[in-house]
């Protein structure tokens, strides 16, 4: 069964060490690209909310080749435990 989009976004960080909104979009695109809220701004909002709720932390910032700001997030072991406790652990 497919997770709700916001859960899938957060669940990404249980399986990958770090990533940006664009990394999450690339990974989730095959299953979620037809969702109305599957856009960069909504994914960034979900990541920022997860950070504010202490489910993720910001790792670093970079400008990509197009000059777009890329914020890298990650989940610590404790945060991963919290995520899997609430939403389970779906594989990618």
């Amino acid at each position: 069964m497919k997770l709700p989009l916001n859960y899938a976004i957060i669940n990404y960080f249980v399986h990958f060490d770090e990533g940006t909104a664009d990394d999450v979009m690339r990974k989730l695109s095959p299953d979620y690209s037809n969702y109305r809220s599957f856009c960069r701004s909504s994914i960034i909002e979900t990541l920022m909310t997860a950070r504010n709720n202490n489910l993720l932390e910001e790792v670093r910032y970079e400008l990509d080749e197009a000059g777009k700001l890329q914020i890298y997030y990650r989940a610590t072991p404790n945060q991963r435990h919290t995520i899997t406790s609430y939403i389970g652990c779906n594989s990618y």
Side-chain angles (χ1 to χ4, degrees):
M1 186 171 127
K2 189 163 51 169
L3 290 172
L5 177 58
N6 286 347
Y7 287 4
I9 292 167
I10 295 167
N11 191 52
Y12 171 94
F13 295 92
V14 171
H15 303 283
F16 298 96
D17 291 335
E18 67 177 29
T20 66
D22 291 339
D23 295 331
V24 172
M25 285 188 78
R26 278 190 291 278
K27 186 65 178 174
L28 298 182
S29 182
D31 293 324
Y32 293 92
S33 62
N34 61 333
Y35 282 49
R36 186 178 330 160
S37 61
F38 189 77
C39 62
R40 189 172 192 269
S41 62
S42 293
I43 291 173
I44 289 171
E45 182 177 347
T46 299
L47 294 172
M48 291 172 63
T49 300
R51 183 203 45 158
N52 288 340
N53 289 317
N54 199 33
L55 294 173
L56 298 174
E57 63 182 19
E58 292 178 1
V59 180
R60 58 191 164 97
Y61 310 90
E62 292 180 0
L63 291 177
D64 66 11
E65 295 154 359
K68 192 171 27 172
L69 178 64
Q70 297 291 330
I71 302 171
Y72 286 79
Y73 295 89
R74 73 173 173 203
T76 65
N78 287 338
Q79 291 166 328
R80 287 178 185 200
H81 175 73
T82 301
I83 293 167
T84 57
S85 295
Y86 283 102
I87 64 174
C89 184
N90 289 14
S91 62
Y92 283 101

